Structures are given as structure tokens and as C-alpha cells.
Amino acid sequence: LGSLFVEFDASVMPFDPEQDAVTIANRLVGEGVEDAETEQLANTLGWEPRRMNSAICYLERAGAIDARHSLASEPWRAVCLTAGDETLRFVRSRS
């Protein structure tokens, strides 16, 4: 299901999962954040769950973050995003 977000949202939604993924990765790297609570990050960005989840799917597919999942994470795809060396490489490859 996650890959469907990535494939189709850029065409049918008013946002682009790839650009949003870069925004998230830049924020995590720029602020030196290793672990970010998904809901808090979405609130800071002013994004609804659909937009945030789509960007998370993109980052997961790119191998740029580790996402902590939970059965009680609804409406979020993940409860926490963990940044690391892969996130930094992702950011550098898109700057």
C-alpha cells in the first residue's frame, strides 16, 4: 500500500511525496535530530496524515530513514522516524 502513495500522490494530490521527503530529511539533518515523533513533525510542518504518510513511504522506499511502526500508530504510517547516515546521504544526493 505504501508504494501506491509514492507512485500516485504526485499526480492526484496537491503535493509531491518526493519533495516532501526531501523537506523532512533536510529538517532532520539540519536540526541534528536522530528520532522525530511523526505527529509532532507533521504538526510543525502543518501537514495532514495523508501528506506525511506519503513522504514517509518515499523515505522508507529510498532507504533514507528507519520508521518505527506500532499497531496503535493510526492515522500515521509510523510513530517515529529515525535519521542516520542514510538520511544524510539522501539529503546530499538531492542538494
Side-chain angles (χ1 to χ4, degrees):
L1 180 62
S3 62
L4 290 176
F5 283 127
V6 174
E7 296 299 324
F8 296 108
D9 278 0
S11 300
V12 299
M13 301 299 283
F15 53 81
D16 183 339
E18 181 178 6
Q19 290 175 354
D20 290 347
V22 171
T23 298
I24 291 171
N26 276 322
R27 177 169 231 127
L28 296 176
V29 169
E31 294 178 3
V33 175
E34 287 185 25
D35 293 313
E37 185 182 318
T38 302
E39 184 172 9
Q40 183 179 3
L41 182 57
N43 289 337
T44 300
L45 294 168
W47 293 356
E48 297 294 323
R50 175 65 184 263
R51 184 173 185 176
M52 189 70 176
N53 290 340
S54 189
I56 291 170
C57 290
Y58 189 95
L59 289 166
E60 285 182 303
R61 192 169 89 170
I65 59 162
D66 288 323
R68 234 178 287 151
H69 301 276
S70 168
L71 291 176
S73 65
E74 290 291 329
W76 309 103
R77 175 154 177 90
V79 292
C80 184
L81 307 178
T82 302
D85 293 338
E86 300 84 12
T87 314
L88 180 58
R89 281 193 286 279
F90 179 82
V91 167
R92 287 183 176 163
S93 72
R94 283 155 176 81
S95 56

